[in-house]
Amino acid sequence: MSLQTTLKALADPERRRILQLLRQKVMNAGDLMGETGLSASSLSYHLRKLREAGLVEDSRDGTTIWYEPNLSVLDDLIVWLNKL
């Protein structure tokens, strides 16, 4: 993933909130909607942006999709920031 994509994904406060929730435990969309108060379409949009940035991974268990953070993507960002 590109650094710019990661930064854009992290720029949104709702996406940062989703990441904070996922750091606590693996969640499905219903769990995330209950915690964030976002509509299904809004949550889907934010999860897509987080997946595109590589910050969230999903896995399917039957009809349920579970989301978990992939914070290793932040390693490149940290290296870049340290060079500043």
Side-chain angles (χ1 to χ4, degrees):
M1 300 305 133
S2 75
L3 182 61
Q4 184 173 348
T5 303
T6 303
L7 289 171
K8 280 184 178 182
L10 291 172
D12 187 279
E14 290 295 343
R15 292 184 206 134
R16 291 193 306 269
R17 185 170 174 218
I18 291 168
L19 282 175
Q20 288 174 338
L21 289 168
L22 292 175
R23 283 185 62 216
Q24 296 171 20
K25 64 179 181 176
V26 175
M27 302 175 92
N28 62 35
D31 297 334
L32 287 166
M33 284 185 349
E35 290 287 333
T36 63
L38 294 172
S39 67
S41 61
S42 183
L43 178 63
S44 176
Y45 172 78
H46 288 300
L47 286 170
R48 180 170 46 91
K49 292 298 184 183
L50 289 168
R51 281 194 312 271
E52 288 172 356
L55 291 164
V56 168
E57 296 177 342
D58 56 44
S59 59
R60 186 174 291 275
D61 181 22
T63 59
T64 305
I65 300 174
W66 295 96
Y67 299 95
E68 61 184 305
N70 177 22
L71 301 180
S72 65
V73 172
L74 297 177
D75 292 341
D76 290 338
L77 177 60
I78 291 168
V79 168
W80 180 78
L81 288 171
N82 281 328
K83 289 181 181 180
L84 290 178

